[in-house]
Amino acid sequence: MKFPKDFVWGSATSSYQIEGAWNTDGRGPSIWDAFCQIPGKVFEGDTGDVACDHYHKMKEDVALMKQMGLTAYRFSISWSRIFPQGQGEINEKGIQFYSELIDELLANDIEPWVTLYHWDLPLALQLEMDGWLNKEITDVFVDYAQLCFERFGDRVKHWITFNEAWVVAILGYGQGVFAPGRISNTEPYLAGHHILIAHAKAVQLYRTKFQKEQEGKIGITNNCDWREPLTDAVEDQKAAQRALEFFLAWFADPIYFGKYPKCMEDRLGDRLPKFTEEERQMLLGSTDFFGLNHYTTMLASEAKQINAGSVYGNGGLSEDQDVNLALDPNWELTEMQWAVVPWGCRKLLHWISDRYDHPNIVITENGCAYDDQLENGEVNDAKRVEFFKGYLEECAKAIEEGVNLTGYFAWSFMDNFEWASGYSKRFGMHYVDFDTLERTPKASAKWFADFLKQ
Ligand code: GAL
């Protein structure tokens, strides 16, 4: 396999999934701390209270990275560790932790790639302003971003504003299976809209105040699976295209074209908010690279009848895009029940390349979960090796065919807290029988309030 000489090789994590130390040294609570306490939300009641204890083992972890030969490491900052209330008072101990991590990485020749938001919103902002439903939060995010640029920007040269806005919107505000646990078919579009605006504002700030001096790059990471038409029928091909637009173009079109995809406008009507002309201008071109998290592929067909009760039939996702999704029974599955389909990765890279005029793409996450067994203190992870080989071969082919792919980060650097699946090995988040869980749209806000009082 041939990769360009300056290709970035790294691995990724996120704050809530690895840090632990949830109330140490002045960290404020996040919506994930609260969400984990709601009975039934996280498998077996697991929490990120301790997780990989990275907060205390940071130096050991960086030594492991060095030993693995990583040249780049993508991590996220816990907003409530540096602004315990989301805004206002700064927690210098939190700043110190990230500052030391960055120094440690650089001392080991590992390039830090920093995500500002990987889902762990300060709980105070959820309670006080309704999280991403309130447009004013976009300015609070910018203040947080500014502090990060000021304190870390002398050493951090790669910034990612948001990780997977789709997940926040759909799983957090549509299906309610991730924090803040809201169930709605309008809120996902509003939350997503505000995330895009917050992204654009933070990029504008970086570009006007910091980029010239700090000489870094800034972008956003979106997630997308590949959608392969189930049959050659035109309606299935259209369904697959529509599914990709509802998934990835939802967040990428505003940045590359200044507007949402037409199929979303047509189908969503007033539920899809509109950008002002100023926001449109701010969004256009607001990324220095195309961050992509890619895990799997599904077969898409025109929805003649929605799979009622399946997770894809809930929360305004399937209903709005009118696509049925299925798996080819011949595909191998990971423990997350995600199909291993390396060629899907190459097709997606081409789709992005064609639609957005050949951007510089960085795969900021790709990987697999397997039920690893320890044998004499080691893991014989043949399946994982095969997975990476398969996906990287397709990446190499895509590059050969002209796709401008410039980096690859494996998910994850460590086994960690997998959100609603907790630490389980056999619990794919998309296969939870969500209907057995408590579904009370407004209850979570009240629950958060009670939690804070404790
Ligand atoms: C992504 C997410 C990561 C991790 C991964 C699967 O959607 O960004 O935090 O959960 O999926 O392991």
Side-chain angles (χ1 to χ4, degrees):
M1 287 184 243
K2 267 204 235 134
F3 283 89
K5 241 203 181 141
D6 50 358
F7 195 81
V8 179
W9 292 104
S11 184
T13 62
S14 86
S15 46
Y16 191 69
Q17 293 179 279
I18 66 161
E19 285 179 5
W22 77 283
N23 59 358
T24 306
D25 288 344
R27 178 184 176 279
S30 79
I31 54 172
W32 268 95
D33 293 306
F35 192 72
C36 289
Q37 302 298 323
I38 304 177
K41 288 294 183 190
V42 177
F43 189 56
E44 293 189 337
D46 287 339
T47 73
D49 288 3
V50 180
C52 306
D53 204 20
H54 172 70
Y55 188 76
H56 296 112
K57 297 188 169 157
M58 180 270 281
K59 289 202 172 166
E60 267 173 68
D61 292 341
V62 175
L64 279 174
M65 291 173 207
K66 180 77 183 168
Q67 201 183 318
M68 283 170 65
L70 293 188
T71 52
Y73 171 55
R74 172 177 174 240
F75 64 92
S76 76
I77 292 177
S78 152
W79 184 344
S80 63
R81 203 179 277 294
I82 68 175
F83 274 123
Q85 298 302 309
Q87 55 190 333
E89 207 182 309
I90 298 169
N91 178 28
E92 289 296 335
K93 286 202 167 149
I95 300 266
Q96 193 188 334
F97 169 71
Y98 293 110
S99 202
E100 285 176 10
L101 166 61
I102 291 162
D103 287 344
E104 191 69 16
L105 290 167
L106 293 174
N108 284 281
D109 299 317
I110 301 168
E111 197 57 39
W113 284 57
V114 180
T115 308
L116 293 172
Y117 189 80
H118 201 124
W119 311 348
D120 45 356
L121 187 77
L123 181 57
L125 300 182
Q126 187 68 41
L127 296 175
E128 288 165 13
M129 24 190 347
D130 242 351
W132 294 107
L133 297 180
N134 185 339
K135 197 168 186 179
E136 284 171 30
I137 201 176
T138 59
D139 292 322
V140 184
F141 176 77
V142 173
D143 289 345
Y144 157 62
Q146 170 155 357
L147 181 67
C148 295
F149 301 148
E150 280 168 2
R151 300 300 189 91
F152 312 127
D154 54 337
R155 291 154 291 158
V156 171
K157 302 300 162 200
H158 291 92
W159 294 101
I160 293 168
T161 53
F162 286 88
N163 179 70
E164 304 188 349
W166 183 93
V167 169
V168 178
I170 293 291
L171 302 190
Y173 288 84
Q175 297 169 351
V177 295
F178 277 14
R182 313 263 320 169
I183 297 167
S184 161
N185 74 352
T186 52
E187 291 182 2
Y189 302 110
L190 193 58
H193 192 72
H194 293 152
I195 289 175
L196 276 164
I197 293 170
H199 155 79
K201 285 185 177 178
V203 171
Q204 189 179 50
L205 172 79
Y206 185 70
R207 287 188 175 160
T208 52
K209 279 212 180 146
F210 298 94
Q211 198 164 35
K212 205 163 157 233
E213 191 190 320
Q214 300 185 346
E215 299 182 317
K217 288 194 164 38
I218 188 161
I220 188 168
T221 274
N222 287 306
N223 58 310
C224 195
D225 303 341
W226 177 244
R227 298 297 185 232
E228 181 72 7
L230 177 69
T231 71
D232 289 343
V234 174
E235 54 176 12
D236 288 349
Q237 288 180 20
K238 281 193 182 157
Q241 174 69 14
R242 205 160 61 237
L244 291 164
E245 291 183 14
F246 263 81
F247 207 151
L248 185 57
W250 175 4
F251 295 103
D253 276 18
I255 291 172
Y256 287 86
F257 308 140
K259 55 181 190 208
Y260 287 118
K262 179 142 187 333
C263 75
M264 291 187 77
E265 284 175 357
D266 290 349
R267 279 161 189 264
L268 298 171
D270 288 347
R271 285 189 293 140
L272 191 66
K274 291 191 175 37
F275 296 113
T276 64
E277 182 53 26
E278 193 194 345
E279 289 161 355
R280 214 178 71 79
Q281 290 303 335
M282 202 167 45
L283 272 158
L284 265 175
S286 62
T287 196
D288 295 329
F289 51 87
F290 195 109
L292 173 71
N293 291 353
H294 171 74
Y295 285 94
T296 189
T297 287
M298 288 185 95
L299 301 170
S301 56
E302 176 72 26
K304 301 204 171 70
Q305 166 200 335
I306 294 294
N307 298 330
S310 93
V311 68
Y312 294 102
N314 280 330
L317 173 58
S318 261
E319 287 91 336
D320 290 340
Q321 62 183 21
D322 270 326
V323 177
N324 269 345
L325 295 169
L327 293 175
D328 180 329
N330 294 319
W331 288 341
E332 251 199 63
L333 301 180
T334 68
E335 291 295 320
M336 304 280 287
Q337 305 303 303
W338 292 347
V340 181
V341 189
W343 53 258
C345 182
R346 178 156 57 111
K347 288 199 174 186
L348 178 61
L349 289 171
H350 276 292
W351 188 87
I352 293 168
S353 217
D354 293 347
R355 188 176 180 96
Y356 301 112
D357 196 18
H358 205 58
N360 159 13
I361 306 172
V362 179
I363 294 184
T364 42
E365 285 180 30
N366 173 242
C368 53
Y370 284 116
D371 186 9
D372 300 326
Q373 303 293 340
L374 273 183
E375 294 165 22
N376 303 322
E378 289 181 20
V379 173
N380 182 8
D381 52 356
K383 280 192 177 170
R384 182 168 294 106
V385 172
E386 203 183 312
F387 178 98
F388 282 126
K389 191 164 171 275
Y391 276 79
L392 287 173
E393 267 169 11
E394 296 295 326
C395 288
K397 272 191 224 162
I399 294 173
E400 219 175 274
E401 291 158 359
V403 170
N404 187 16
L405 177 68
T406 58
Y408 178 96
F409 289 76
W411 185 273
S412 171
F413 166 62
M414 293 185 277
D415 288 344
N416 59 44
F417 173 79
E418 183 54 33
W419 311 110
S421 306
Y423 300 98
S424 61
K425 289 179 179 166
R426 299 195 173 279
F427 206 67
M429 73 177 175
H430 289 315
Y431 285 75
V432 183
D433 184 2
F434 291 118
D435 292 335
T436 64
L437 302 179
E438 195 190 358
R439 297 183 136 245
T440 43
K442 301 278 181 230
S444 48
K446 180 184 172 304
W447 193 92
F448 284 158
D450 293 345
F451 175 81
L452 208 63
K453 278 189 221 127
Q454 282 173 21

